Amino acid sequence: MATYLTLRSLTILSDNEVAMVFIDSAGEEMTYRFTSTDTDQIKVINGEDSFSSQYRQVPGPATPMWPERLASQALQAYQDPLPAGETLERLRTECHEELHRRWHSGGRRP
């Protein structure tokens, strides 16, 4: 029987760290932490040593890179929150006003 790890959850731990919980085919959970570091303006995402030794061996089997990409995207989303409440209403009003202005000016931009 083939054994796989399936992503169960992702938790933002800090501005530069996430934890991913996986469940294996037998129902056992394991957690790996991923950390973001900026090196000369290049963002690098690394799994903890236990993840890297299992999945990023050189030489080793080719395994998907989505855990690091997912960690990167989660941290980006965390640092770029969605507007809500009064802020969302203000943005919505500004958008509608701009569309109204463009419609009534024949669609020309100033």
Side-chain angles (χ1 to χ4, degrees):
M1 176 173 115
T3 303
Y4 296 96
L5 292 182
T6 302
L7 179 66
R8 170 63 63 89
S9 67
L10 181 146
T11 303
I12 306 283
L13 301 174
S14 71
D15 287 347
N16 66 345
E17 187 175 24
V18 300
M20 291 185 205
V21 176
F22 295 87
I23 188 165
D24 70 14
S25 301
E28 295 293 320
E29 284 189 359
M30 58 189 57
T31 302
Y32 292 113
R33 291 176 181 237
F34 296 83
T35 304
S36 170
T37 55
D38 291 327
T39 307
D40 296 326
Q41 300 180 2
I42 296 173
K43 181 182 278 190
V44 177
I45 303 289
N46 286 309
E48 61 188 86
D49 289 344
S50 59
F51 177 83
S52 296
S53 68
Q54 290 289 319
Y55 293 99
R56 301 296 175 246
Q57 299 173 17
V58 177
T63 56
M65 294 298 294
W66 66 259
E68 291 89 346
R69 291 181 184 133
L70 180 58
S72 177
Q73 291 296 307
L75 290 170
Q76 281 183 285
Y78 176 72
Q79 295 166 5
D80 189 16
L82 292 170
E86 292 177 10
T87 301
L88 180 59
E89 288 304 316
R90 179 182 51 78
L91 292 170
R92 195 177 284 146
T93 299
E94 290 172 3
C95 179
H96 286 250
E97 288 171 353
E98 176 64 15
L99 288 172
H100 182 77
R101 185 193 63 75
R102 288 183 189 183
W103 180 264
H104 291 289
S105 69
R108 294 182 300 271
R109 293 184 178 199

